[in-house]
């Protein structure tokens, strides 16, 4: 594959959009599904697409095959190595469709910043803060946002002092509780603990994915989500509800079992919907959001109290995903949503360069 040849995009003036997928995280397969959905929705009359895959071992490859090969994981068989120093030769704009560590946590965003390539999604700071659930909770607390009680423990503590963790959980949170890797998405590594034995198993599972582990109080709740896009004047989407077919909305429920359902818009009082949307905007601004995100909440069933759960700065975009469906409810179709994401990325890029020029 000759990276230096004059492309059709250069001849027609269309932007070359680099669809970046895969990655080294435990959400590699989810990224492939998301990328396939994004590719199918992109306006081919407006953009030329360049497929850039990252293997589970972190190798960057250029792929020139079918969407189906990306979806089923066989794309690596025919892809060719991509020299990162030549990124600007193959794309004008990067659209990361990746999830989890090394991709959603600011590392990829920093690489694109260094390469001076405009990109879709939040910048380095917002990406890094939102990815670390413990750090994000600290920021939320500073901004007066309502969150569930939680504890932060380390993998080392799990290995050396599990009884101490158990004592703290039973004294400060109680059962049931939820155990999560601090830096992971798509509900990977999350489990529910009903007693001391299941707590230990949950901690060991979460520790496989991260050295920082969050333990949250269990709340009997409804799970609702909304979405935000933009920089200085972000817009907020409809509010949707997850109707999980399992005990909670885990990885299987999100992507494979087909039992969970979504209610869009969520059946909520108008005031509750408005409050969730306002909290979403406040949370987005608190982390300096400047791209797009899905923002998740809990509503306690008995009291109606709203809790902010987390922000996902590169949310899933598969056919099961809430993010594009929330915007569709507002009248923004998938292809137009992707165009808006690209426009927002260019707006941030222009603002940065304009500012650096002292203008």
């Amino acid at each position: 594959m000759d990276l230096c040849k004059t492309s059709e995009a250069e001849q027609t003036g269309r932007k070359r959009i680099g669809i970046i997928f895969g990655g080294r995280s435990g959400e590699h397969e989810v990224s492939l599904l998301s990328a396939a959905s994004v590719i199918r929705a992109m306006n081919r009359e407006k953009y030329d697409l360049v497929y850039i895959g990252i293997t589970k071992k972190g190798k960057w490859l250029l792929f020139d095959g079918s969407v189906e090969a990306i979806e089923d994981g066989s794309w690596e068989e025919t892809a060719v190595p991509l020299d990162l120093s030549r990124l600007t030769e193959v794309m004008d704009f990067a659209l990361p469709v990746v999830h989890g560590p090394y991709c959603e946590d600011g590392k990829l965003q920093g690489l694109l910043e260094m390469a001076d390539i405009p990109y879709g999604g939040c910048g380095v700071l917002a990406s890094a803060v939102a990815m670390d659930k413990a750090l994000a909770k600290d920021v939320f607390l500073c901004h007066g946002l309502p969150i569930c009680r939680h504890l932060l423990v380390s993998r080392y503590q799990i290995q050396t002092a599990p009884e101490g963790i158990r004592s703290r959980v039973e004294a400060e949170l109680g059962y049931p509780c939820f155990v999560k890797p601090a830096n992971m998405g798509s509900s990977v590594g999350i489990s529910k603990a009903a007693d001391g034995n299941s707590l230990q198993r949950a901690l060991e599972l979460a520790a496989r994915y991260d050295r920082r582990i969050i333990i949250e109080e269990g709340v009997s709740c409804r799970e609702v989500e909304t979405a935000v896009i933009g920089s200085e004047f972000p817009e907020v989407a409809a509010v949707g509800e997850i109707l999980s077919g399992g005990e909670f909305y885990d990885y299987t429920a999100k992507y494979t079992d087909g039992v969970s359902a979504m209610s869009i818009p969520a059946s909520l009082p108008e005031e509750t919907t408005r409050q969730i949307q306002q909290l979403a905007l406040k949370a987005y601004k608190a982390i300096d959001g400047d791209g797009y995100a899905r923002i998740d909440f809990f509503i306690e069933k008995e009291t109606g109290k709203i809790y902010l759960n987390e922000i996902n700065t590169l949310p899933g975009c598969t056919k099961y995903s809430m993010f594009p469906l929330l915007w569709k409810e507002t009248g923004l179709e998938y292809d137009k949503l992707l165009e808006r994401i690209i426009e927002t990325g260019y707006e941030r890029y222009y603002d940065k360069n304009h500012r650096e020029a002292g203008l």
Side-chain angles (χ1 to χ4, degrees):
M1 188 177 299
D2 185 358
L3 304 185
C4 296
K5 68 180 180 182
T6 302
S7 68
E8 182 184 351
E10 292 172 317
Q11 297 173 10
T12 63
R14 292 200 302 268
K15 294 295 184 183
R16 297 170 301 170
I17 307 298
I19 308 295
I20 303 177
F21 58 87
R24 293 171 58 185
S25 82
E27 299 175 73
H28 182 96
E29 286 75 15
V30 178
S31 172
L32 302 184
L33 299 178
S34 290
S37 295
V38 167
I39 290 167
R40 291 188 175 109
M42 290 288 289
N43 184 345
R44 299 303 184 89
E45 295 183 359
K46 193 168 185 177
Y47 306 112
D48 273 15
L49 304 187
V50 180
Y51 305 154
I52 300 171
I54 305 173
T55 70
K56 290 183 178 181
K57 293 185 178 180
K59 293 183 178 179
W60 288 59
L61 304 175
L62 195 60
F63 178 63
D64 190 22
S66 70
V67 178
E68 290 74 21
I70 295 175
E71 205 164 29
D72 66 23
S74 63
W75 65 277
E76 292 185 36
E77 298 171 6
T78 56
V80 298
L82 174 61
D83 183 345
L84 293 185
S85 68
R86 307 181 73 181
L87 282 177
T88 57
E89 296 178 26
V90 300
M91 62 179 165
D92 303 306
F93 184 95
L95 188 57
V97 191
V98 285
H99 314 299
Y102 303 101
C103 298
E104 194 174 351
D105 56 3
K107 293 183 177 69
L108 174 59
Q109 291 75 13
L111 172 66
L112 295 171
E113 292 277 359
M114 292 293 291
D116 196 31
I117 297 173
Y119 59 92
C122 287
V124 174
L125 176 62
S127 299
V129 172
M131 188 68 208
D132 190 301
K133 295 179 177 67
L135 181 58
K137 288 180 185 297
D138 288 342
V139 173
F140 298 154
L141 279 174
C142 287
H143 286 262
L145 290 157
I147 63 173
C148 296
R149 292 180 299 156
H150 65 282
L151 298 173
L152 173 65
V153 301
S154 69
R155 181 188 292 141
Y156 179 77
Q157 289 173 302
I158 293 170
Q159 294 170 344
T160 61
E163 287 304 318
I165 296 175
R166 177 173 176 171
S167 296
R168 287 189 65 194
V169 168
E170 293 174 351
E172 299 177 40
L173 303 180
Y175 299 111
C177 61
F178 288 87
V179 181
K180 310 175 180 181
N183 289 274
M184 190 58 67
S186 294
S187 298
V188 173
I190 294 180
S191 49
K192 183 178 181 180
D195 53 33
N197 291 332
S198 57
L199 173 64
Q200 183 60 31
R201 291 193 297 271
L203 289 168
E204 291 171 357
L205 172 63
R208 289 167 49 190
Y209 295 97
D210 195 11
R211 66 179 182 84
R212 285 157 56 84
I213 312 301
I214 290 282
I215 309 171
E216 292 181 348
E217 66 174 321
V219 178
S220 178
C221 65
R222 298 169 67 179
E223 297 187 49
V224 298
E225 302 176 348
T226 188
V228 176
I229 190 170
S231 296
E232 288 298 321
F233 305 99
E235 305 166 59
V236 63
V239 176
E241 181 174 7
I242 301 296
L243 306 173
S244 179
E247 194 170 8
F248 67 99
Y249 195 45
D250 61 3
Y251 182 94
T252 301
K254 282 185 177 181
Y255 299 112
T256 61
D257 69 1
V259 174
S260 296
M262 303 175 188
S263 176
I264 306 175
S267 179
L268 295 170
E270 185 176 334
E271 176 57 31
T272 302
T273 296
R274 184 162 50 248
Q275 187 178 357
I276 288 169
Q277 291 172 323
Q278 290 171 348
L279 288 171
L281 288 170
K282 186 176 180 179
Y284 185 76
K285 292 177 180 178
I287 66 166
D288 193 31
D290 58 353
Y292 66 98
R294 193 194 72 236
I295 306 181
D296 304 348
F297 295 87
F298 300 140
I299 302 176
E300 194 168 29
K301 291 180 179 179
E302 291 186 0
T303 65
K305 183 176 180 180
I306 299 170
Y307 295 96
L308 171 60
N309 179 24
E310 63 183 43
I311 298 179
N312 293 272
T313 55
L314 285 176
C317 289
T318 73
K319 61 183 178 181
Y320 301 107
S321 298
M322 181 73 91
F323 180 75
L325 298 176
L326 291 171
W327 286 109
K328 184 176 182 179
E329 178 65 22
T330 70
L332 189 61
E333 295 293 337
Y334 202 174
D335 60 333
K336 298 301 180 183
L337 171 61
L338 294 172
E339 289 183 15
R340 183 73 184 93
I341 288 171
I342 293 170
E343 289 168 2
T344 301
Y346 270 118
E347 287 167 6
R348 180 182 58 233
Y349 181 76
Y350 172 79
D351 178 70
K352 180 190 70 172
N353 290 334
H354 205 60
R355 182 176 62 250
E356 288 174 353
L359 300 176

